[in-house]
Amino acid sequence: TAAGSTAQLKQLATRDVESAAARLQLSALQMERWISAKAAEPGAQEVLSKGTASARGDAATAFCDGVANQAKGVFEGVAPSLIALVDTSGKIVGRNGSTLSRGDDVGASYPAFKDAIAKARSGSDVWADPARGDAYLASYAPVRDEAGKPAGALVIGMPVNRGFTSTRPTA
């Protein structure tokens, strides 16, 4: 009878959407807190203070690879697809597993993210790129220089299509 009742189907669908939204918010908050601790580590600031773009890029990739390895055991065995270090202009300095994204301007694509970098705020959002056909739950946290001023941000991204909403951090 439930399948024949439009009112019941609507009620079930509404409850499912509200549950998914709540899980999405909880996952984002957990990722945000975790990545904030990593962004506060001295290694993140050291990467952004390297003298040349090449040195920053190589150090950022190594740093992000390390953070990605640490994340493998945190979110119930689901490793993030994206860990990136971004400078104050909103451009990727380096990311885990690849040198391909260096210089990509994520700040231009996500203005709220660029604003968060300028104000040294953490946050979360869904980042979607229709051209590549991907969508991430992205959480980010400020990286500060020795004086405490914004030096960039550290980003973690879990693909929306991986079913991350069923994962919970274990640490």
Side-chain angles (χ1 to χ4, degrees):
T1 60
S5 168
T6 305
Q8 276 190 312
L9 288 174
K10 183 178 178 182
Q11 184 180 24
L12 289 172
T14 299
R15 188 173 39 218
D16 287 348
V17 167
E18 289 171 351
S19 176
R23 187 65 197 138
L24 182 70
Q25 290 171 342
L26 179 59
S27 293
L29 179 60
Q30 291 166 329
M31 288 170 44
E32 195 174 316
R33 285 185 178 177
W34 188 84
I35 204 67
S36 290
K38 299 302 169 192
E41 292 178 359
Q45 185 275 326
E46 290 170 13
V47 166
L48 293 171
S49 66
K50 298 278 183 198
T52 66
S54 178
R56 282 189 300 276
D58 291 344
T61 296
F63 179 79
C64 291
D65 283 341
V67 172
N69 284 334
Q70 294 171 22
K72 287 180 183 175
V74 175
F75 299 98
E76 291 187 3
V78 178
S81 293
L82 173 71
I83 302 287
L85 199 54
V86 180
D87 65 18
T88 54
S89 70
K91 293 184 179 175
I92 294 178
V93 176
R95 64 160 291 168
N96 65 307
S98 176
T99 60
L100 296 176
S101 299
R102 288 185 188 173
D104 286 2
D105 193 353
V106 291
S109 300
Y110 307 104
F113 170 63
K114 190 167 182 177
D115 183 58
I117 293 172
K119 294 177 180 173
R121 283 182 306 162
S122 60
S124 296
D125 202 353
V126 174
W127 288 2
D129 186 344
R132 287 194 314 246
D134 60 9
Y136 292 93
L137 174 61
S139 293
Y140 43 86
V143 175
R144 299 175 189 273
D145 65 15
E146 293 112 5
K149 294 181 181 176
L154 187 60
V155 178
I156 183 172
M158 295 281 213
V160 171
N161 60 353
R162 189 185 286 173
F164 70 91
T165 56
S166 65
T167 65
R168 290 182 302 273
T170 57

